[in-house]
Each structure stands twice: as C-alpha cells, then as structure tokens.
Amino acid sequence: QLQLVESGGGSVQPGGSLTLSCTGRGLNLDHYGIGWFRQVPGKEREVVTCTSHNDGNRYYANSVKGRFTIARDSAKNTVYLQMGGLKPENTADYYCAADGPYSGGGESVHDTPNNYNSWGLGTQVTVSS
C-alpha cells in the first residue's frame, strides 16, 4: 500500500512559487525523517532538502537554500516543500521519502536516497515562461 501521497505539482512561471505536500498514510510522519528529492532524465535522484523526525536538524542543497523551505504540520501528518523564486533549472520530478521510524531526541538527517525506505510516486514541477 502506498504510504506517502504527494500533491501540488504543476507548471509555474520563473520567479513564481509552488508548495508540494507529502501526506503519510499508515505512517505517523512525526516518527520519520522526511526528504524531498528531485530527478531529471539521465540524472540520479538528488536531495533538495530533508528534516529529522523531530525537526531538530534540517539540510538544504546549496542550490535552493534561501528559496525553498521544508515545513512539517503534524496535525495534518503532512510535510511541505515550499518553493519560491523558482527557476527553469528547478524543473524536475519531485519525490518525498520517509526514513525511520525514530523516536526521542535524535536529530540526524540523511541526504542520500539509499537512506530512505518509503517513497511517494513523484510529482512533476515545470518552471517555464
């Protein structure tokens, strides 16, 4: 059964904003580190941003730092990727992934795909005029 459901992808003009959602189904995302990854044809999947299960530590790729934000809404069991200042090079398929479960005060984050066991199906983001 699909455990992560993504929404919010679409087309946006350069300089615009878009927010992607990743909602857990059968997973309490408060127990999981969550990563957002991107992939384009011919390239390996790469990290955009990730957060530890307790949001004690976050990582942003240099290319998106200051423009993208990862945010957790525990009441909705959802983690968002808030994207601003979008550029054509941000065009990609975007995936959310869950790493865990974890409990307690650990704050580790993992920025490589092989650390994640559950994945959404991906959502397309196209940035063009």
Side-chain angles (χ1 to χ4, degrees), residues 48-100:
V48 177
T49 179
C50 51
T51 186
S52 61
H53 77 282
N54 61 357
D55 292 332
N57 196 18
R58 296 177 180 181
Y59 171 86
Y60 292 92
N62 287 335
S63 61
V64 306
K65 190 172 183 179
R67 298 189 296 118
F68 290 13
T69 300
I70 188 167
R72 187 189 300 270
D73 186 340
S74 294
K76 296 181 179 180
N77 201 30
T78 296
V79 178
Y80 301 99
L81 177 61
Q82 300 168 333
M83 303 183 292
L86 285 163
K87 304 174 181 179
E89 56 262 41
N90 297 134
T91 296
D93 292 328
Y94 285 78
Y95 300 84
C96 66
D99 163 35

